Amino acid sequence: DARVTQTPRHKVTEMGQEVTMRCQPILGHNTVFWYRQTMMQGLELLAYFRNRAPLDDSGMPKDRFSAEMPDATLATLKIQPSEPRDSAVYFCASGLVLPNTEAFFGQGTRLTVV
Amino acid sequence: AQTVTQSQPEMSVQEAETVTLSCTYDTSESDYYLFWYKQPPSRQMILVIRQEAYKQQNATENRFSVNFQKAAKSFSLKISDSQLGDAAMYFCAYRVRGNTPLVFGKGTRLSVIA
């Protein structure tokens, strides 16, 4: 049963701490997306990768956020230092570069920064 | 920039009845894809239905169908024979070809009344 796996599912941290969220895309998928979901902004793209190379990270606050793909089986999203306004659900999705395909979503990481 | 608008923040429907969720979008592209995603309380993003812009025929998936009006840039979702399990947030989304990032609407919360 192929699925996108995100860890942790929930994270509570104090303001100023570093947070790392991990994503294991579906094996063979070459495109990975990071989205953030908040009540106010809805679902917005933070960054995405193709063949492990970043294609667009314009949605990400550069001073505190960073996204990487150390290898094809792992994508990471880091926040340092975290702030209360970063509280949100962070989704990872993966897919293939084919015209008629969809992106598959992980179950998300709910981050609370207190 | 592409935008997706869902004008109904909340909707309700009686069990076994039919409900239609509205979505409009703005794009200058001619080749694109439209999606409806369901997000139940588990927060998993589940693809409900997909429409290719080059296809004139409206997509259907069991009890779910769309009314795609390309000239009007409208993409509504019809749920027939509503079931309690259909209660969720529904997001309309758009992307161009090649598994590029999705642009989401703000969502419509659907309640199903027994």
Side-chain angles (χ1 to χ4, degrees):
Chain A
D1 183 23
R3 67 179 74 181
V4 176
T5 303
Q6 289 187 247
T7 55
R9 290 289 313 279
H10 305 273
K11 176 72 175 179
V12 180
T13 192
E14 291 185 349
M15 183 173 60
Q17 296 298 304
E18 177 178 299
V19 175
T20 298
M21 290 168 272
R22 292 177 173 80
C23 169
Q24 182 176 9
I26 293 173
L27 190 64
H29 281 188
N30 63 350
T31 305
V32 174
F33 307 90
W34 283 104
Y35 294 94
R36 177 170 62 184
Q37 184 177 29
T38 61
M39 289 294 292
M40 293 300 295
Q41 301 298 326
L43 281 151
E44 51 185 354
L45 178 75
L46 293 176
Y48 86 107
F49 295 77
R50 183 151 296 152
N51 298 321
R52 296 175 56 201
L55 289 191
D56 184 356
D57 61 1
S58 58
M60 214 163 57
K62 300 292 192 304
D63 56 339
R64 299 184 300 107
F65 284 59
S66 63
E68 296 179 343
M69 283 201 71
D71 60 60
T73 64
L74 177 65
T76 62
L77 180 65
K78 291 185 181 181
I79 308 174
Q80 169 62 26
S82 58
E83 297 181 1
R85 59 178 168 156
D86 301 329
S87 298
V89 178
Y90 292 81
F91 285 101
C92 174
S94 74
L96 292 168
V97 184
L98 294 172
N100 196 24
T101 58
E102 63 187 89
F104 292 83
F105 282 77
Q107 289 195 286
T109 294
R110 178 177 293 279
L111 174 65
T112 303
V113 184
V114 298
Chain B
Q2 296 89 0
T3 58
V4 177
T5 302
Q6 293 179 250
S7 59
Q8 306 151 316
E10 295 185 353
M11 294 278 286
S12 62
V13 62
Q14 293 280 346
E15 196 176 5
E17 296 296 309
T18 296
V19 64
T20 299
L21 308 184
S22 301
C23 173
T24 59
Y25 59 95
D26 188 23
T27 182
S28 57
E29 302 285 339
S30 59
D31 190 8
Y32 52 87
Y33 296 81
L34 295 162
F35 305 83
W36 279 98
Y37 280 87
K38 171 184 178 182
Q39 187 180 41
S42 68
R43 74 170 184 254
Q44 178 70 53
M45 295 290 286
I46 301 165
L47 179 65
V48 174
I49 199 163
R50 173 178 59 206
Q51 175 78 44
E52 294 88 343
Y54 64 86
K55 289 186 177 179
Q56 292 187 341
Q57 187 173 6
N58 289 325
T60 62
E61 287 287 344
N62 300 314
R63 297 182 296 107
F64 299 87
S65 61
V66 298
N67 183 3
F68 173 48
Q69 301 290 325
K70 191 172 184 178
K73 296 181 181 175
S74 171
F75 182 61
S76 60
L77 174 70
K78 186 171 81 171
I79 306 174
S80 304
D81 186 24
S82 297
Q83 300 175 359
L84 294 177
D86 296 333
M89 282 289 288
Y90 286 82
F91 293 95
C92 180
Y94 157 102
R95 69 163 173 84
V96 295
R97 289 173 64 88
N99 220 337
T100 51
L102 291 161
V103 176
F104 288 93
K106 295 290 191 186
T108 296
R109 182 174 300 281
L110 178 67
S111 301
V112 181
I113 302 165

